[in-house]
Structure formats: structure tokens, C-alpha cells
Amino acid sequence: QVQLVESGGGLVQAGGSLRLSCAASGRTFSNYIMGWFRQAPGKEREFVACISGTGVVTSYADSVKGRFTISRDNTKNTVYLQMNSLKPEDTAVYYCAASYKQRLAVLIAEYDYWGQGTQVTVSS
């Protein structure tokens, strides 16, 4: 069992930055692919970014490529999402997730554990 707790959300103006954190407890953190997803009001949850267990390989949704950076610190059992140049359309609840698959995962169904989410609101 893996427990995930997100933090770092909040209200920011367009063009601003936020860094989300996700602290994991439980089984060996480095064994998991870690991902970030988001869900805006009235919309389906969507993939944002994911990172390999070693942190070497990453993947991003086209909508955030060049603005968001995913990283992890396996010594702290934590994954981060640095979000720059934020836009109002980035407003959503952001979820951290862990996948035990041995390759990068972009589908919701590929993830085994989820956090409770943290709200990000970008004002125009």
C-alpha cells in the first residue's frame, strides 16, 4: 500500500508559478512510476506529466510541455511539479499518482494509487 499526500496548491495570477509536492509513504518509492493528473470542473481527469523511477525519463502532455517540469527526490520519497507561466486554463484539482508498471504511464487506469488532490486556481 502507498499513501500519497499532495501540497503546494493555491491561487496565483496568470503568468505566475507554483510548485506542487507529493509525499509518498509505504513501499519502495523508487519502484514506482509517478504521475501528475488534473481535473477541471465539468471535465474529465487528464494526464499532465510522469517520471520514471530513477527520474531520468519524463513525459508531458502537450498542453504543459515547456511550462511544467516534473522531478523526484527518492531520498525524500517526494515527487514535484514545477509549474511556470501558468494560464487560467491550468485551473484544476491536481492529483499525484503512483504506478507499479515498468514503463512510463499516461492512462488513469495504469495507476495504482492516488492522492486526495490539491486545488490550483489561476486568475486572469
Side-chain angles (χ1 to χ4, degrees), residues 73-87:
D73 185 341
N74 287 343
T75 66
K76 296 181 179 180
N77 282 11
T78 302
V79 62
Y80 305 97
L81 185 68
Q82 177 67 43
M83 305 186 294
N84 298 330
S85 302
L86 282 162
K87 305 174 181 180

Side-chain angles (χ1 to χ4, degrees), residues 25-114:
S25 61
R27 300 174 65 181
T28 307
F29 181 66
S30 60
N31 287 350
Y32 287 87
I33 302 296
M34 297 300 297
W36 286 97
F37 289 75
R38 66 186 182 186
Q39 187 166 15
K43 295 188 176 182
E44 295 185 350
R45 192 170 300 189
E46 64 176 7
F47 168 76
V48 174
C50 63
I51 188 167
S52 64
T54 61
V56 172
V57 186
T58 58
S59 180
Y60 296 90
D62 288 343
S63 59
V64 307
K65 205 170 291 184
R67 300 187 298 122
F68 290 11
T69 302
I70 189 171
S71 61
R72 67 192 295 163
D73 185 341
N74 287 343
T75 66
K76 296 181 179 180
N77 282 11
T78 302
V79 62
Y80 305 97
L81 185 68
Q82 177 67 43
M83 305 186 294
N84 298 330
S85 302
L86 282 162
K87 305 174 181 180
E89 51 263 44
D90 294 318
T91 295
V93 176
Y94 282 71
Y95 297 91
C96 170
S99 171
Y100 204 57
K101 292 192 179 296
Q102 297 306 301
R103 55 171 174 77
L104 292 184
V106 302
L107 300 178
I108 292 172
E110 295 179 292
Y111 284 81
D112 304 290
Y113 303 101
W114 293 83

